[in-house]
Amino acid sequence: MTRRTRILQAGRLLPSLEQRLAAAFDTVLLAEQPDPQAFLAEHGEGFDGLITSAGVGFTADMLERMPNLRAISSFGVGLDRLDLAAARDRGIAVGYTPDVLNDCVADLAIALLLDVARRVSEADRFVRRGDWVTPGAKSFPLARKVSGAKLGIVGLGRIGQTIARRAAGFDMDIRYHTRRPVDGVAWKHEPSLVELARWCDYLVVITAGGAATRHLIDAAVLDALGPHGFIVNVARGSVIDEAALVRALVEKRIAGAGLDVFDNEPEVPRELFALDNVVLLPHIASGTEETRRAMADRVFDNLQGFLRDGRMVSPAPLP
């Protein structure tokens, strides 16, 4: 009897994806094991594939305990928790889920920008508290205009370009910062991140996470953004120096922030909870039914494609 392909599932996934995996492969959920490390030490050599996610990732130590591993398929586009160098050194193929979430992440970036600029969540709280109908209460404060404003984008990959196209619909003046200019785009490249922050009204962060971009947005960038500038982060929490961001917001040295990601998720700095000029979301940029289904399909197709003919649909860029 032919042995079924054995797959280790590092963490919980969409139920529909787990069902597809269980139907096609011999799948084991690592989180259900009483001692995951001991389980890997004893049974790791029996696995052909690994399913993980951007939030869970994998380490070189995990790979060492799975000497016969051939393929890894990750749910998400974040690569900072995936030890790609270790996978490369072991000759293990890695797939992820780009492209299918571009629209929803870009949509949410624009939603956060509009929300914090037009004070949408703050206005909702104003109405719910009954402040609108309270005799003698102050009028709700004025907000900031988005249409025609200056937008700076940090990172101009697939999602960054999608955000720029959305922003063009608001007649925004758009510039971007990357290490090198991006070919084939009409938007102006700004080689200095500090100068981009000084120029723009709104700064959207959508660069990759990891050691290379940790605290890329530091106190100097926030000071350049200034008391009339807003920041939106739909990248990774590590890209912004969170302590510097909290200080800038509390001291009103920037106008506000729309944040979908944090440095130590799910922990969020409690100082932000009392601030009306901050919108806080629980890392939901790709969180629509349509996009999560598409991501699940890509995870399955990456793994199946490699096991069938040696090719990932969306191979991760190995260092």
Side-chain angles (χ1 to χ4, degrees):
M1 182 176 179
T2 303
R3 181 180 75 87
R4 293 185 83 197
T5 301
R6 296 202 75 203
I7 303 298
L8 182 68
Q9 182 181 323
R12 300 310 308 230
L13 299 164
L14 291 180
S16 59
L17 175 56
E18 292 187 348
Q19 291 164 12
R20 285 188 76 186
L21 291 168
F25 309 109
D26 181 4
T27 305
V28 176
L29 179 59
L30 185 61
E32 289 183 341
Q33 308 309 313
D35 186 338
Q37 294 302 318
F39 176 84
L40 279 176
E42 184 175 355
H43 302 288
E45 65 181 11
F47 292 100
D48 307 288
L50 172 68
I51 300 290
T52 188
S53 66
V56 174
F58 62 83
T59 64
D61 182 66
M62 286 182 67
L63 302 190
E64 285 293 329
R65 294 168 187 265
M66 294 185 282
N68 297 312
L69 194 67
R70 294 187 288 144
I72 301 169
S73 187
S74 181
F75 187 100
V77 294
L79 301 174
D80 45 306
R81 294 190 179 182
L82 280 61
D83 193 332
L84 296 176
R88 176 204 61 204
D89 293 344
R90 291 274 310 279
I92 301 169
V94 182
Y96 70 141
T97 64
D99 298 318
V100 297
L101 46 65
N102 296 355
D103 283 337
C104 282
V105 176
D107 290 351
L108 193 80
I110 296 297
L112 278 170
L113 192 157
L114 288 167
D115 192 335
V116 71
R118 294 301 308 271
R119 311 178 87 147
V120 175
S121 292
E122 182 183 353
D124 177 81
R125 292 190 292 271
F126 180 85
V127 173
R128 290 174 187 270
R129 286 194 305 262
D131 292 355
W132 199 16
V133 296
T134 300
K138 293 182 179 179
S139 299
F140 187 75
L142 297 177
R144 290 281 299 280
K145 186 178 180 181
V146 170
S147 295
K150 294 178 288 188
L151 174 66
I153 302 177
V154 183
L156 202 74
R158 299 176 180 91
I159 301 173
Q161 293 183 42
T162 307
I163 292 170
R165 289 193 293 271
R166 299 283 193 278
F170 289 89
D171 298 321
M172 301 187 84
D173 186 2
I174 301 165
R175 297 181 186 179
Y176 71 96
H177 170 77
T178 54
R179 285 179 292 180
R180 292 175 295 276
V182 177
D183 293 334
V185 302
W187 309 295
K188 182 179 178 181
H189 177 255
E190 174 52 71
S192 167
L193 177 53
V194 167
E195 289 307 315
L196 180 69
R198 184 170 288 117
W199 169 82
C200 71
D201 301 302
Y202 303 97
L203 188 68
V204 173
V205 183
I206 188 55
T207 191
T213 58
R214 180 166 180 79
H215 293 182
L216 179 67
I217 309 297
D218 58 13
V221 174
L222 295 170
D223 286 341
L225 186 59
H228 300 292
F230 296 83
I231 192 165
V232 170
N233 190 7
V234 287
R236 285 290 181 269
S238 61
V239 178
I240 297 180
D241 181 339
E242 197 165 77
L245 175 63
V246 170
R247 289 194 300 271
L249 287 164
V250 170
E251 296 168 8
K252 301 186 186 304
R253 290 188 286 109
I254 64 172
L259 307 173
D260 184 49
V261 290
F262 304 89
D263 203 11
N264 189 31
E265 296 176 4
E267 297 298 324
V268 176
R270 298 194 65 84
E271 299 96 320
L272 300 181
F273 292 180
L275 301 181
D276 272 331
N277 62 336
V278 183
V279 180
L280 307 171
L281 301 183
H283 201 154
I284 57 170
S286 66
T288 66
E289 294 178 5
E290 297 86 351
T291 288
R292 291 291 172 85
R293 282 197 301 267
M295 292 169 67
D297 288 343
R298 185 61 55 86
V299 167
F300 186 88
D301 292 344
N302 273 335
L303 181 62
Q304 188 179 58
F306 181 84
L307 295 174
R308 183 183 59 237
D309 53 31
R311 292 197 301 271
M312 293 276 184
V313 177
S314 300
L318 298 180

